[in-house]
Amino acid sequence: MVNFTSHEIRDIIISMLVIGGVFAYVFRGINNGDFISLIPVTLVAVGFGFVFHELAHKFMAVRYGFYAEYRLWIQGLILAIITAALGFVFAAPGAVYIHGQYISKEENGKISIAGPLTNIALAIIFFIIPLFTPPSELLFLICSLGFTINSFIAFFNLLPVSMLDGAKILKWNPLVWLVTIAIAFVMTAYPYFVAYIF
């Protein structure tokens, strides 16, 4: 059973609010400079992507019998705010810390891939929703941001760099890593490719 401590819930809420705020600030141009009213949009489109990514790690770790807890990373939130002020966002709001006697390469790989797969699934959902719903400017904005950002979160985390999910997945199963990062790359590049064509 997955349990959440009060500190963990607090850290998740703070992380979501900061992430929603910094992305709203960076994308404020699409809302005539009003980033405050854009925060609910970015909370849904982006905030959920960051938090669900980490919670996917937690759920998978708990499934394997480990204790896992999401913890806020103050330095990461400060970095997100500073980079947002510079016009882009590099966000690392927190991470899931896993405690156990021994985590095998396979367990570590599967725990790691749960995060990017969650972002890929969210991106696909955001992509599909406008296809089956009445035209709505607000919904299109949420879904376009949700697809773009979640695709990028997945691709970035799949890079084979130490401390990122990709390095652990690559050690576990190179083929799984290659297929997953290829999918994430295509999804990340898709908006730019479409914009270039049209």
Side-chain angles (χ1 to χ4, degrees):
M1 182 177 179
V2 179
N3 294 312
F4 293 88
T5 66
S6 57
H7 287 91
E8 192 174 17
I9 294 172
R10 177 204 63 188
D11 286 358
I12 290 171
I13 293 173
I14 292 173
S15 296
M16 280 195 66
L17 290 175
V18 173
I19 290 300
V22 295
F23 272 94
Y25 182 80
V26 168
F27 290 119
R28 67 191 183 280
I30 62 178
N31 199 36
N32 299 317
D34 179 15
F35 81 94
I36 297 297
S37 63
L38 195 59
I39 290 177
V41 172
T42 53
L43 278 175
V44 175
V46 185
F48 285 163
F50 273 89
V51 172
F52 287 176
H53 174 105
E54 296 300 333
L55 292 184
H57 291 318
K58 176 186 174 79
F59 293 152
M60 186 61 75
V62 170
R63 179 182 175 186
Y64 281 120
F66 301 109
Y67 176 78
E69 183 178 11
Y70 178 85
R71 294 181 191 170
L72 185 70
W73 186 37
I74 298 296
Q75 295 91 331
L77 291 181
I78 293 174
L79 180 61
I81 293 170
I82 292 174
T83 55
L86 297 174
F88 66 99
V89 178
F90 185 86
V96 170
Y97 291 82
I98 301 170
H99 304 278
Q101 290 186 339
Y102 173 74
I103 301 178
S104 70
K105 189 182 295 185
E106 179 180 355
E107 289 171 337
N108 203 18
K110 289 182 178 179
I111 291 170
S112 297
I113 203 172
L117 286 180
T118 298
N119 292 119
I120 289 173
L122 285 171
I124 292 173
I125 291 170
F126 280 122
F127 184 84
I128 291 175
I129 287 175
L131 302 177
F132 298 96
T133 54
S136 165
E137 187 175 335
L138 176 61
L139 183 62
F140 179 78
L141 176 60
I142 293 173
C143 290
S144 59
L145 286 178
F147 174 78
T148 303
I149 302 301
N150 276 282
S151 296
F152 178 77
I153 293 172
F155 175 71
F156 178 81
N157 279 278
L158 285 165
L159 293 174
V161 179
S162 178
M163 300 302 292
L164 293 180
D165 299 325
K168 302 164 190 173
I169 300 166
L170 181 60
K171 288 180 181 178
W172 160 53
N173 192 317
L175 180 59
V176 170
W177 171 80
L178 182 61
V179 171
T180 310
I181 195 171
I183 292 171
F185 174 77
V186 170
M187 292 174 66
T188 302
Y190 175 79
Y192 304 99
F193 177 76
V194 171
Y196 177 78
I197 294 298
F198 296 101

